[in-house]
Amino acid sequence: MYLATTDAATTARKATRGRVGGPVLALGAVSLVTDVSSEMVTAVLPLYFVLQLGLSPLQFGFLDGLYNGVTALVRLLGGHAADRGGRHKLVAGAGYALSALSRLGLLFAGGGTLGIGASLAADRIGKGVRTAPRDALISLSAPPDALGRAFGVHRAMDTTGALLGPLAAFALLWATADAYDAVFVVSFCAGVAGVLLLVAFVPGRAGPPAPPRAGRGGPTTPRSRAGLLAPLRDPAFRRIFVAAALLGAATIGDAFLYLLVQRQLDFAVSWFPLLPLGAAAVYLLLAVPAGRLGDRIGRRVPFLCGHAALLGGYLLLLATGAGPVLLVGVLLLLGVFYAATDGVLMALAGPVLPAARRASGMALLQTGQAVCRLLAAAGFGAAWTLWGARPALLLAALALAAALVAAAVLLRGPERP
């Protein structure tokens, strides 16, 4: 009987090897459409803030940090809420809907910094609420030895939207003579379409059922005030968390890299929204191979190599003069960075976390990165304003090199299957 069970399990693994389940594909479609919406806005924000509204690099640094790091608390609460009731789809859907509505906030904010900040905060809160439940759904819908592939497929579909979004923004700005309002309206419509896809095609639950509540005749489940931080009690997860936070603190953000490229090459600003397309194309091509490589040799290797590629992008901006090598090199290295780190980090952390705390743990990990990137964006903007772009970038490169060494030490040892 034991041999029959083993043979059946082996046969099942062979039958599903190389295939991605329906929930992962459905979530990938939702992310594709939603990323068209979000990247349309992200692609034009640096121009809108710096060139049209006249913000200084310091002001833009704080707004960019807000755009990427304001979600710390709601990210934790969203993951915790999804785990407690097994309501991953409901919580994720609420986040997608809030992000879609934030596009209307940008439309009605005009040039007011307060209104823009509130709209960006709403968008990032929506992203923070949805990201951990979505990644938990992916993690719980794939076998542990194929998590890298599952996240790679999802991120590839997500990145397809990231490719289409800037292209749509560029086309709209060209057709409407730089009418940013048109970008915000179309972005809102795409965001609503993503919510409808989630409702129609993503299963409502994944993973184990919610634990029973205390009651007469039933078992009790103790509740801890430190429940949001409970995943940090596991030493393996704690090492992953600290390593990701250190590396996040030395990641200055795509928008600054694109502004530095535009500044060195001095090309027409109307081409600026197309810069993310280069990095997104590389990400799209390498997301699945990077995930599969992580499944085979260990996920910490591509994760660290991806940050080494980002360091190469910093050094290229410091060492290379104007020319096509700078443009192609920075976009290529940035794409490699995202392909080797984004989904791979979630696949690295997934097996360490129990199923009942999968969303909470992923939310905690994502929050650590978001807060550190907030500090990095604000710090780089301040350094650029005070000392200039080149000294600021040199400091960022030194910080990333030191963080890479520390992360390599923290992530030593066998990975948990």
Side-chain angles (χ1 to χ4, degrees), residues 321-347:
V325 174
L326 174 65
L327 177 63
V328 174
V330 170
L331 297 182
L332 175 65
L333 291 169
L334 191 59
V336 171
F337 162 66
Y338 279 113
T341 59
D342 187 12
V344 171
L345 177 60
M346 295 298 104

Side-chain angles (χ1 to χ4, degrees), residues 164-185:
L164 297 175
L167 187 61
F170 174 78
L172 280 171
L173 289 178
W174 177 79
T176 60
D178 296 339
Y180 290 93
D181 288 353
V183 175
F184 299 150
V185 170

Side-chain angles (χ1 to χ4, degrees), residues 52-397:
Q52 179 156 321
L53 300 183
L55 301 184
S56 70
L58 177 59
Q59 291 173 310
F60 174 70
F62 277 108
L63 280 177
D64 186 63
L66 176 70
Y67 191 74
N68 290 288
V70 74
T71 57
L73 179 60
V74 295
R75 203 182 286 257
L76 292 174
L77 295 178
H80 188 64
D83 279 340
R84 287 193 64 183
R87 298 170 293 185
H88 299 86
K89 177 179 176 178
L90 178 62
V91 176
Y96 281 112
L98 182 58
S99 290
L101 291 173
S102 72
R103 315 295 185 229
L104 294 180
L106 284 172
L107 181 65
F108 296 127
T113 304
L114 181 61
I116 291 172
S119 298
L120 293 182
D123 177 56
R124 293 300 91 182
I125 288 172
K127 183 174 177 62
V129 166
R130 73 178 184 253
T131 301
R134 180 205 67 198
D135 284 349
L137 280 169
I138 296 171
S139 179
L140 294 169
S141 300
D145 62 349
L147 283 178
R149 184 188 300 113
F151 277 103
V153 169
H154 174 269
R155 294 318 196 249
M157 297 179 72
D158 183 90
T159 306
T160 302
L163 276 168
L164 297 175
L167 187 61
F170 174 78
L172 280 171
L173 289 178
W174 177 79
T176 60
D178 296 339
Y180 290 93
D181 288 353
V183 175
F184 299 150
V185 170
V186 175
S187 173
F188 167 72
C189 295
V192 171
V195 175
L196 295 178
L197 282 174
L198 178 77
V199 172
F201 296 108
V202 176
R205 290 178 179 270
R213 295 185 178 182
R216 186 177 300 176
T220 60
T221 301
R223 298 177 63 183
S224 171
R225 294 180 181 272
L228 295 177
L229 302 179
L232 288 175
R233 296 171 185 164
D234 187 309
F237 178 77
R238 189 164 58 244
R239 288 194 295 271
I240 296 172
F241 176 86
V242 174
L246 286 173
L247 291 166
T251 304
I252 64 175
D254 303 354
F256 277 121
L257 294 180
Y258 297 146
L259 286 172
L260 288 168
V261 169
Q262 195 277 333
R263 176 174 175 162
Q264 289 199 31
L265 300 183
D266 195 27
F267 52 78
V269 296
S270 60
W271 295 98
F272 189 90
L274 293 180
L275 287 179
L277 290 176
V282 177
Y283 187 4
L284 175 61
L285 292 174
L286 297 182
V288 176
R292 296 184 66 178
L293 180 65
D295 288 338
R296 291 180 180 179
I297 68 172
R299 289 145 191 162
R300 66 178 178 273
V301 175
F303 180 68
L304 293 172
C305 289
H307 284 89
L310 180 64
L311 177 59
Y314 291 1
L315 297 177
L316 192 60
L317 281 166
L318 286 169
T320 306
V325 174
L326 174 65
L327 177 63
V328 174
V330 170
L331 297 182
L332 175 65
L333 291 169
L334 191 59
V336 171
F337 162 66
Y338 279 113
T341 59
D342 187 12
V344 171
L345 177 60
M346 295 298 104
L348 176 65
V352 174
L353 296 163
R357 288 193 176 275
R358 192 67 53 88
S360 300
M362 288 183 170
L364 188 61
L365 182 59
Q366 293 158 0
T367 296
Q369 276 194 316
V371 171
C372 289
R373 288 180 178 179
L374 164 64
L375 298 175
F380 184 80
W384 185 345
T385 301
L386 294 174
W387 304 314
R390 187 176 180 82
L393 188 59
L394 178 60
L395 287 175

